[in-house]
């Protein structure tokens, strides 16, 4: 296993290019299971999660070629309908192959996802939506077994205890593209990645209206064709670099990000006193004065993304004063708190909130990554901390960040990867 070693503190400076969005690429790859024709997906980030999805597709009988960031998928004639436990346990996004396989092959068998470091993550909304389209769904031997001679359009309300669900919206939207008649998804997730998937499906010949709002309407069609498509830039990666500029009091230009996808983060960083300027397709993030504490609550898009909560908490840990984080998507997503505490952060958990009392400086320490975004928070903290930070279990980081240490190295970080004894 690898670990990442950082010597801090560093002031990051320079320009960094954002990769394509992992959370768009994964459901778009799943959507290719709806057609018999070849699809080309561009700007696919070469990440562990993408590799897991490639393994799932290949295991189903789909031909996949991945060169650079260009993915060619040829699903012609695939007939296996099982997504096995060994892949789904690696990545919960695997579950979004259920809708497309079922719609195409009339049956699907997808491993029921297991637990996850960021808390309980059920799939009841996925199942509710797919059942509403007329499928028979059972849980057998750890698998969701779905059958439907012909899916039928329906009106489905997809709100759960924590609001809308991104992948449940994706799953039901994909299944509905080949259902007979009209489907309306009410309380649909509005995330940019849902819009991206809808655009890809539309290119394949699907008839979808309202993606990006809480009501998505899908008119089923008989079949879908191949498509060529480029995924949107990764707003979470871009956001992580923006916070990296803030925590290191640096000056970073982020190239290729979508400013309009980052509203909640930009607002919070500006409230804290970070200078953010837009120059064409570049976003320049600088710290010109001392920062002020801020409070934030994670919410579905366009609210503050839960996937940037840990990174922002690392920043709050070094802003003088009290900041409060409230997590409304995954109330237990606080695994990073005890690791940040090992670096000297003062954070107290109260229910679904974390009260952060800023300290002057963090101090480098050996820490352990618990999940994808928590590991990014530790990398940011390590660059701001004095001394050496060793982050173990970085395979979490490799699930979602494309060559992060190389990108940070180019921005001036003192960072490298080592084999862990
Ligand atoms: C996606 C993202 C993930 C992000 C999350 C929330 C991908 C590949 N992953 O995950 O990075 O953190 O959105 O923005 O796009 N829920 C239910 N029942 C369900 C499904 C979800 O109760 O059937 C709950 C979840 O436990 C959570 C909330 O709904 O509390 C939102 O989760 P959801 O939007 O589904 O997350 P994912 O789509 O799995």
């Amino acid at each position: 296993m690898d670990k990442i070693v950082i010597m801090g503190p560093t002031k990051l400076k320079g320009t960094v290019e954002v990769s394509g969005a992992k959370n768009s690429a994964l459901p778009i790859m799943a959507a290719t299971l709806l057609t018999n024709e070849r699809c080309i997906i561009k700007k696919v980030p070469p990440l562990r999660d993408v590799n897991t999805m490639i393994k799932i597709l290949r295991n189903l009988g789909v031909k996949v070629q991945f060169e650079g960031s260009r993915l060619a998928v040829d699903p012609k004639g695939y007939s296996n309908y099982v997504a096995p436990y060994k892949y789904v346990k690696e990545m919960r996004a695997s579950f979004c192959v259920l809708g497309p396989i079922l719609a195409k092959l009339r049956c699907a068998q997808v491993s029921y996802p297991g637990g996850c470091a960021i808390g309980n993550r059920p799939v009841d909304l996925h199942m509710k939506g797919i059942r509403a389209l007329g499928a028979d769904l059972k849980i057998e031997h750890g698998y969701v077994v779905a059958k439907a001679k012909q899916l039928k359009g329906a009106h489905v309300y997809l709100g759960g205890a924590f609001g809308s669900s991104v992948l449940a919206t994706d799953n039901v939207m994909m299944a509905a593209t080949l259902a007979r008649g009209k489907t309306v998804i009410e309380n649909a997730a509005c995330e940019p990645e849902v819009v991206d998937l809808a655009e890809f499906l539309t290119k394949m010949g699907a008839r979808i209206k309202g993606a990006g709002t809480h009501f998505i309407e899908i008119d089923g069609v008989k079949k879908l064709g191949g498509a060529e498509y480029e995924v949107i830039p990764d707003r979470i990666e871009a956001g992580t670099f923006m916070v990296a500029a803030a925590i290191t009091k640096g000056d970073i230009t982020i190239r290729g990000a979508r400013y309009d996808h980052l509203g909640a983060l930009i607002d919070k960083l500006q409230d804290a006193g970070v200078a953010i300027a837009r120059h064409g397709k570049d976003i320049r993030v600088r710290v010109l004065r001392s920062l002020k504490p801020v409070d934030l609550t994670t919410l579905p898009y366009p609210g503050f993304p839960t996937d940037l909560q840990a990174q922002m908490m690392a920043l709050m840990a070094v802003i003088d004063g009290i900041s409060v984080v409230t997590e409304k998507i995954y109330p237990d997503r606080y695994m990073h708190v005890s690791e940040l505490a090992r670096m000297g952060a003062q954070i107290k958990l109260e229910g679904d909130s974390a009260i952060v009392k800023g300290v002057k400086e963090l101090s480098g320490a050996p820490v352990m990554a618990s999940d994808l975004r928590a590991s990014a928070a530790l990398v940011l903290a390590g660059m701001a901390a004095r001394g050496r930070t060793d982050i173990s279990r970085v395979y979490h980081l490799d699930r979602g960040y494309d060559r992060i240490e190389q990108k940070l190295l180019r921005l001036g970080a003192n960072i490298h990867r080592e084999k862990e004894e």
Side-chain angles (χ1 to χ4, degrees):
M1 262 199 273
D2 289 352
K3 67 175 179 180
I4 281 186
V5 179
I6 301 171
M7 292 297 294
T10 341
K11 224 180 185 42
L12 297 184
K13 269 200 166 88
T15 299
V16 64
E17 185 112 16
V18 173
S19 302
K22 163 181 92 76
N23 287 354
S24 270
L26 296 173
I28 286 176
M29 289 166 74
T32 62
L33 294 166
L34 289 160
T35 178
N36 273 328
E37 292 174 25
R38 197 173 139 87
C39 298
I40 307 287
I41 314 165
K42 292 187 278 188
K43 285 255 168 95
V44 176
L47 302 170
R48 241 173 61 132
D49 276 5
V50 166
N51 279 332
T52 304
M53 187 58 94
I54 291 176
K55 286 183 196 157
I56 291 175
L57 295 180
R58 286 192 175 137
N59 185 68
L60 292 166
V62 174
K63 293 191 192 73
V64 185
Q65 274 180 310
F66 191 26
E67 276 166 37
S69 60
R70 182 181 185 275
L71 193 80
V73 184
D74 184 0
K76 192 169 177 194
Y78 83 91
S79 57
N80 183 7
Y81 52 84
V82 183
Y85 178 62
K86 64 175 173 187
Y87 302 133
V88 181
K89 77 171 172 18
E90 291 290 311
M91 172 182 84
R92 294 178 49 90
S94 320
F95 198 71
C96 72
V97 297
L98 178 70
I101 301 177
L102 174 66
K104 186 72 179 20
L105 301 182
R106 294 162 191 217
C107 54
Q109 208 172 310
V110 179
S111 173
Y112 193 96
C116 173
I118 66 175
N120 183 27
R121 293 176 73 183
V123 286
D124 56 315
L125 294 174
H126 298 242
M127 294 180 55
K128 175 184 175 188
I130 288 179
R131 270 200 188 110
L133 300 180
D136 173 39
L137 251 67
K138 289 196 186 98
I139 298 173
E140 281 174 6
H141 311 296
Y143 279 75
V144 174
V145 180
K147 289 183 190 140
K149 280 214 174 72
Q150 168 69 62
L151 293 173
K152 293 187 192 81
H155 188 112
V156 48
Y157 182 85
L158 273 194
F162 298 96
S164 54
S165 160
V166 177
L167 290 173
T169 303
D170 289 348
N171 227 339
V172 178
M173 179 165 71
M174 288 190 277
T177 58
L178 293 179
R180 196 183 321 130
K182 186 197 284 275
T183 297
V184 176
I185 304 175
E186 191 179 342
N187 206 348
C190 302
E191 269 70 1
E193 294 77 17
V194 174
V195 179
D196 213 27
L197 173 64
E199 285 181 4
F200 177 67
L201 292 166
T202 304
K203 268 200 136 181
M204 294 172 85
R207 293 172 59 194
I208 301 173
K209 280 194 288 203
T213 75
H214 286 306
F215 286 86
I216 301 182
E217 256 182 57
I218 305 120
D219 271 311
V221 295
K222 283 228 158 70
K223 66 177 205 172
L224 294 176
E228 189 166 327
Y229 194 76
E230 183 175 304
V231 303
I232 53 170
D234 197 310
R235 65 192 166 100
I236 305 301
E237 188 199 11
T240 302
F241 283 115
M242 293 173 77
V243 182
I247 200 171
T248 65
K249 302 189 177 67
D251 180 354
I252 302 183
T253 297
I254 293 143
R255 182 147 293 164
R258 289 270 303 258
Y259 194 90
D260 57 324
H261 290 168
L262 287 157
L265 175 68
I266 290 170
D267 186 60
K268 281 298 158 207
L269 288 175
Q270 283 175 333
D271 277 357
V274 178
I276 300 178
R278 188 178 181 177
H279 304 286
K281 288 195 168 175
D282 290 349
I283 305 173
R284 184 171 181 196
V285 185
R286 282 183 293 171
V287 174
L288 303 169
R289 56 186 167 97
S290 58
L291 300 181
K292 293 184 306 219
V294 281
D295 297 343
L296 70 85
T297 302
T298 64
L299 288 168
Y301 189 83
F304 193 92
T306 174
D307 285 352
L308 286 170
Q309 179 257 105
Q311 299 88 316
M312 268 305 271
M313 195 185 290
L315 172 63
M316 290 166 168
V318 291
I319 297 180
D320 188 29
I322 306 272
S323 300
V324 180
V325 170
T326 305
E327 178 54 72
K328 289 287 178 203
I329 310 280
Y330 299 114
D332 300 323
R333 192 176 201 172
Y334 284 127
M335 304 288 284
H336 43 285
V337 167
S338 44
E339 298 304 301
L340 289 172
R342 303 200 73 248
M343 303 177 73
Q346 291 193 12
I347 305 169
K348 201 168 135 211
L349 287 178
E350 293 247 349
D352 59 7
S353 292
I355 297 145
V356 187
K357 185 162 180 269
V359 295
K360 247 201 159 64
E361 195 173 58
L362 295 172
S363 83
V367 288
M368 204 184 301
S370 55
D371 65 82
L372 169 52
R373 307 304 171 185
S375 35
L378 296 176
V379 170
L380 300 188
M383 290 187 301
R386 184 156 303 274
R388 174 175 167 139
T389 296
D390 289 45
I391 306 168
S392 53
R393 299 206 182 158
V394 291
Y395 56 88
H396 289 294
L397 200 62
D398 297 335
R399 287 190 43 207
Y401 287 91
D402 178 16
R403 293 161 293 143
I404 190 166
E405 73 265 29
Q406 289 172 33
K407 290 187 183 185
L408 289 172
L409 195 65
R410 256 179 265 135
L411 293 170
N414 187 339
I415 183 170
H416 69 271
R417 193 178 277 252
E418 274 180 17
K419 283 261 168 279
E420 210 161 5
E421 306 103 44

